[in-house]
Amino acid sequence: MTVKLMPPLRRRRTRSSAPGSVIENQRRKFLVPFVGPAFLFYTLLFVLPAIGAVWVSLHKWAGSGPMEFVGLRNYERVINDSQFQAAFVNTLLLLFVAGTAIFVLAFALTMVLRTMWGRSAVRSIIFFPHLINALVFGVLAGFLFNPTGLVNTALGWFGVDNPPLWLAKENIFPLIMATVIFTTTGYYTTIIMAGVDRIPPYLYEDCALAGATPFQRLWHVVIPLTWDVFGTCAILWTLSSIKIFEIIWVFGGSSGAGIPPVESWTSAVYTYVTAFSGQSTPAFGAATASAVISLLLVSVLVVFLRRVFRREAIEF
């Protein structure tokens, strides 16, 4: 009598028995109830209005009455408009020139304050201008830079009889850029300092034992371990710089015309004036076309920055 041995049963490894699958399944259960409402509100408040803006940009519309479909003519009109071109250049100046100055100053302040006594108090002081409303800086600028203001009075003490016209049309935008740099540097300094503070002290001790120079320590330790923080700051600045509006309106709105001079416009100001200036028939189609162009610029830059700053996470 022969006995046939059955082959050993093979345990089928299912996806549910994979390591970590229980945690993943729990995460999936909580995904919809927690992320779903936020995604719904985001869709209702941002995605659908953005789609509606693209639709409006393809029409000639004064805000009421029938809409006339004009296709891409609004975009052609906006791109060929000299005022939009000047506003777009100013937007790029704020984005790149002011942004570069902000990050250079923020990083320099971080390196200086990293080992400074009382750095927490100093961090609070340099962050404070970011909390002040732009209206205050507009009033302060008028007090400091008017022809008989404090700045010209101080220059007179040093023999400067013909000081610059600080609030003239050709000088208002550089003054706005300087104000933006002053009010924003502390904010990004605080973020970068938080990223630098998380670096373990023993890494600096290893650099000292290895005889590394300050530049080598900066290049091989500080920058790699705060690279993700720089990426986050770059994206935040890109999003916020495109929307700079109120400080320009406050600085230039007192010119007597009711709106800032064209020399100080950004794309956000151009969009508002085109739609709500009250000096001509509102052109919501052209205004939304300008907004869509700004949205495309932001989208391209954010995608580019994410690729530039994308690196594998470093654990320490």
Side-chain angles (χ1 to χ4, degrees):
M1 182 177 179
T2 59
V3 179
K4 294 182 179 180
L5 297 177
M6 296 181 63
L9 296 176
R10 294 182 179 179
R11 186 175 181 181
R12 187 178 180 182
R13 187 171 183 176
T14 60
R15 188 174 181 179
S16 60
S17 62
S21 62
V22 176
I23 299 177
E24 293 297 329
N25 291 334
Q26 292 296 328
R27 288 178 177 176
R28 293 191 187 98
K29 290 181 181 179
F30 289 105
L31 179 64
V32 174
F34 280 92
V35 180
F39 180 76
L40 178 62
F41 278 106
Y42 183 81
T43 302
L44 292 176
L45 298 178
F46 294 97
V47 176
L48 293 181
I51 297 174
V54 174
W55 175 251
V56 172
S57 69
L58 302 177
H59 294 76
K60 182 179 180 182
W61 189 41
S64 61
M67 301 173 64
E68 178 186 351
F69 184 80
V70 295
L72 299 178
R73 273 184 282 176
N74 281 327
Y75 292 92
E76 182 181 357
R77 167 191 168 183
V78 168
I79 292 175
N80 293 327
D81 189 350
S82 60
Q83 293 182 346
F84 175 78
Q85 294 172 1
F88 193 76
V89 170
N90 287 342
T91 301
L92 295 179
L93 289 175
L94 280 173
L95 176 61
F96 293 107
V97 177
T100 301
I102 288 171
F103 283 105
V104 169
L105 291 174
F107 193 75
L109 286 173
T110 300
M111 294 296 99
V112 171
L113 299 176
R114 188 180 62 84
T115 57
M116 180 179 177
W117 181 83
R119 59 177 180 174
S120 297
V122 177
R123 181 187 303 185
S124 302
I125 293 173
I126 63 177
F127 184 80
F128 182 73
H130 184 73
L131 304 176
I132 301 177
N133 191 277
L135 178 63
V136 176
F137 291 104
V139 175
L140 182 63
F143 173 74
L144 293 176
F145 296 102
N146 68 73
T148 59
L150 182 62
V151 173
N152 288 347
T153 301
L155 291 176
W157 296 341
F158 294 96
V160 180
D161 297 328
N162 296 314
L165 299 176
W166 304 105
L167 300 178
K169 293 182 179 180
E170 61 274 10
N171 296 328
I172 191 70
F173 189 73
L175 184 61
I176 291 173
M177 290 182 62
T179 305
V180 170
I181 294 172
F182 171 74
T183 57
T184 312
T185 298
Y187 174 73
Y188 290 101
T189 302
T190 304
I191 298 177
I192 296 174
M193 285 184 67
V196 173
D197 288 344
R198 68 179 183 174
I199 300 176
Y202 66 81
L203 294 178
Y204 297 114
E205 296 174 1
D206 292 343
C207 290
L209 293 175
T213 63
F215 177 78
Q216 290 174 331
R217 182 179 58 190
L218 172 68
W219 185 256
H220 295 286
V221 176
V222 177
I223 292 180
L225 296 182
T226 56
W227 190 252
D228 56 337
V229 178
F230 281 109
T232 301
C233 291
I235 293 176
L236 288 175
W237 171 247
T238 301
L239 296 175
S240 61
S241 63
I242 302 295
K243 300 183 295 183
I244 293 177
F245 172 83
E246 65 275 5
I247 193 169
I248 297 174
W249 199 269
V250 170
F251 267 71
S254 60
S255 59
I259 59 175
V262 178
E263 291 80 2
S264 65
W265 286 11
T266 59
S267 56
V269 177
Y270 176 88
T271 300
Y272 180 84
V273 171
T274 304
F276 304 108
S277 65
Q279 297 183 350
S280 59
T281 303
F284 282 87
T288 51
S290 170
V292 170
I293 293 174
S294 299
L295 177 62
L296 292 176
L297 173 64
V298 170
S299 302
V300 171
L301 290 176
V302 168
V303 171
F304 173 76
L305 289 172
R306 286 183 62 86
R307 289 186 176 274
V308 170
F309 288 94
R310 182 173 58 187
R311 286 187 179 182
E312 295 183 0
I314 301 177
E315 296 182 1
F316 52 89

